[in-house]
């Protein structure tokens, strides 16, 4: 599966005409990560890159990258010819002066400017015209349906063409900016004058700086090269506006393709700040633990925290690429600081074994301080933490020690009965004086 994914993502296409490379470089749209090697060129060709794009774009994307349907293309829109393997068999463009189809290899990496559409030739199908900036000639793509209006409402677009509008805007707004990685796999170029690449592993949440932006593929036209703090460069090809991508919206949601969307591959610092602001209401509040749990102390070591330990929430930060947050807590009594990874997203925890349900905030923490609850005495806390109940304990102390009862009742003598019959835990019956609401006996 991994090898298949790499085939989908890395274009390994080489061509016999060495003069193409100088022409490609002249545009400035072909960019490589450092370390790519110059390779010999042969006639063999392999599959072009494919990948997937994000869910709904963020405000930043909506403001800067606007989807343009083929129906609404304006003359002057620029595209680069990026053929896939299938485009080597099915030719896309015809020379407007001769009507002869032109091999995609000849047009590879040349820039086409949209010149409108018409049916003046009197044929069965309308034609979409382009001016080639490299050879100065005019070309056309003949739509497969009878009319342009019938064709343009679909997602097919014009094959082979990667939209340069997204690349140009990305260069303006993203170069030299700081991003954070959201995927675990990115790519490095292995060929300076070809399209070879290899996958590398990058920790999610790595801080990177955008070094360069160029053209990627027809489906995912923006190639974003970034570098981490050690100077290691890698890239991801992403679709942003989806103009002329040739893919349906639902195809962008395929799991192994989401990383090839901007939102699936990178995150802006401001997005993480916005996510963290959702948790502002919890900061400064007291909480106590319902279970013994592991936390990380200030020195980075793991510490086991007892039940009913009380903290003040000092900070909550969203964790990039996950549903978890990093919560910083200060001990209410000790003043020591700890960090705990927590999620606020509720999941089905039925049947969870001890320890697994700690990840969910509402399972592990209760807002407040147990010593501020009515009837809870400080000298009882040590035993309560150990789930030990004694005669004279209040209802709140029993709740802290044993939790909510699985059953409630009253015996013939007027005593209140709380029953604990939870699978995997000892069977316990607690008797209360009905008037005083204090424990009179415990049966195990």
């Amino acid at each position: 599966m991994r090898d298949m994914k790499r085939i989908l993502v890395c274009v390994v296409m080489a061509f016999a005409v060495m003069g193409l490379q100088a022409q490609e470089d002249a545009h400035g749209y072909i960019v490589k990560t450092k370390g790519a090697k110059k390779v010999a060129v042969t006639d063999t060709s392999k599959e072009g890159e494919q990948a997937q794009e994000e869910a709904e774009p963020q405000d930043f994307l909506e403001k800067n990258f606007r989807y343009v349907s083929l129906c609404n293309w304006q003359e002057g829109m620029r595209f680069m010819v990026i053929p896939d393997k299938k485009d080597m068999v099915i030719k896309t463009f015809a020379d407007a002066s001769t009507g002869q189809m032109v091999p995609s290899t000849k047009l590879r990496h040349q820039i086409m400017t949209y010149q409108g559409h018409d049916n003046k030739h009197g044929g069965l199908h309308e034609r979409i015209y382009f001016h080639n900036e490299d050879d100065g000639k005019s070309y056309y793509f003949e739509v497969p349906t009878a009319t342009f209006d019938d064709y343009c409402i679909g997602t097919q677009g014009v094959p082979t063409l990667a939209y340069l509008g997204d690349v140009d805007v990305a260069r303006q707004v993203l170069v030299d900016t700081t991003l954070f990685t959201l995927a675990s796999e990115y790519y490095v170029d292995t060929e300076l004058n070809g399209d070879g690449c290899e996958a590398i592993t990058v920790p999610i949440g790595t801080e990177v700086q955008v070094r360069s932006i160029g053209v990627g593929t027809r489906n995912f036209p923006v190639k974003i090269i970034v570098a981490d703090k050690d100077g290691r460069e890698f890239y991801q090809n992403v679709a942003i506006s989806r103009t002329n991508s040739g893919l349906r919206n639902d195809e962008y949601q395929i799991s192994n393709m989401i990383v090839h969307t901007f939102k699936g591959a990178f995150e802006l610092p401001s997005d993480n700040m916005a996510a963290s602001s959702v948790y502002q209401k919890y900061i400064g509040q007291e909480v106590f633990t319902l279970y013994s749990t592991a936390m990380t102390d200030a020195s980075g070591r793991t510490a086991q925290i007892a039940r009913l330990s009380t903290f003040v929430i000092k900070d909550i930060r969203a964790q990039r690429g996950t549903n978890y947050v990093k919560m910083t807590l200060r001990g209410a009594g000790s003043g020591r600081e700890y960090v705990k990874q927590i999620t606020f997203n509720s999941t089905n925890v039925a049947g969870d074994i001890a320890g697994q349900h700690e990840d969910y905030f509402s399972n592990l923490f209760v807002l407040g301080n147990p010593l501020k609850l009515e009837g809870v005495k400080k000298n009882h806390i040590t035993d309560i933490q150990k789930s030990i109940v004694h005669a004279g304990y209040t209802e709140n102390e029993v709740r802290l020690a044993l939790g909510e009862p699985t059953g409630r009742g009253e015996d013939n003598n007027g005593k209140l009965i709380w029953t604990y019959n939870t699978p995997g835990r000892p069977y316990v019956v607690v008797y209360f004086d009905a008037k005083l609401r204090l424990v009179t006996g415990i049966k195990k």
Side-chain angles (χ1 to χ4, degrees), residues 4 14 100 104 145 152 199 207 211 223 284 317 354 374 388 391 399 421 427:
M4 184 177 296
Q100 297 297 310
S104 295
T145 57
C152 75
E207 182 175 336
R211 288 288 176 83
K223 180 178 181 178
R317 294 286 172 181
E374 183 179 356
I388 297 173
R399 286 192 183 92
N421 189 20
Y427 177 79

Side-chain angles (χ1 to χ4, degrees), residues 173-193:
V173 300
L174 291 176
V175 171
D176 295 329
T177 62
T178 296
L179 301 174
F180 294 88
T181 60
L182 287 178
S184 59
E185 190 171 85
Y186 292 80
Y187 299 87
V188 295
D189 294 300
T190 57
E191 299 173 3
L192 188 62
N193 59 332

